[in-house]
């Protein structure tokens, strides 16, 4: 009986906890997880990119349209996202200042399903 109890205890200790999403940046950006969906916002000199993963799988950008709603102090602006390779959306030349609040809206062109996220840009 002691051996059985010890075996079960060791199995539980050795079993890793599996999270639904991966909240580590894969592209050097800032990550927000909403339910099963992980959004990564990347600011770069060439512009802004958004990467989307759901349940560990890349969400194809090709069938979606998206916008960023940026609030910096009292100034508000909208940035249109263009689908790029795989799960990437881009806004070439767009700039988002540190301290901005960024709302994300993605709409599936076929089903009209919407996904949203909010970033507080560091």
């Amino acid at each position: 009986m002691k051996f059985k109890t010890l075996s079960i205890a060791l199995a539980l200790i050795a079993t890793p906890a599996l999270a639904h999403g991966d909240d580590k940046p894969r592209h050097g950006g800032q990550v927000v997880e909403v339910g099963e969906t992980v959004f990564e916002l990347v600011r770069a000199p060439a512009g802004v990119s958004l990467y989307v993963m759901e349940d560990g799988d890349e969400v194809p950008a090709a069938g979606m349209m998206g916008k960023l709603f940026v609030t910096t102090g009292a100034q508000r602006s909208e940035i249109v996202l263009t689908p790029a390779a795989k799960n990437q959306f881009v806004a070439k030349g767009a700039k988002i200042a540190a301290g901005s609040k960024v709302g994300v809206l993605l709409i599936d062109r076929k089903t009209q399903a919407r996904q949203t996220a909010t970033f507080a840009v560091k």
Side-chain angles (χ1 to χ4, degrees):
M1 184 67 168
K2 287 182 183 179
F3 179 73
K4 219 180 211 184
T5 305
L6 179 62
S7 297
I8 292 170
L10 288 174
L12 291 174
I13 291 170
T15 304
L18 300 175
H20 290 289
D22 182 4
D23 62 354
K24 294 180 180 134
R26 295 179 180 209
H27 305 282
Q30 188 174 336
V31 173
V32 170
E33 188 171 356
V34 179
E36 304 291 323
T37 307
V38 176
F39 299 86
E40 183 177 358
L41 183 67
V42 180
R43 298 179 302 143
V48 176
S49 290
L50 180 74
Y51 296 87
V52 185
M53 302 277 292
E54 189 164 335
D55 244 355
D57 298 322
E58 294 179 345
V59 174
M64 302 185 87
M65 55 186 171
K67 278 189 182 180
L68 299 178
F69 300 91
V70 182
T71 303
T72 308
Q75 184 179 356
R76 295 179 183 189
S77 61
E78 290 184 19
I79 299 172
V80 175
L81 294 170
T82 304
K86 298 183 183 182
N87 66 329
Q88 181 188 19
F89 296 86
V90 297
K92 293 181 181 175
K95 303 289 182 208
I96 299 175
S100 298
K101 303 283 187 222
V102 178
V104 176
L105 173 62
L106 297 179
I107 301 172
D108 185 302
R109 292 179 193 272
K110 189 174 185 179
T111 66
Q112 297 301 302
R114 296 169 181 256
Q115 293 179 305
T116 61
T118 306
F119 288 86
V121 177
K122 298 176 185 175

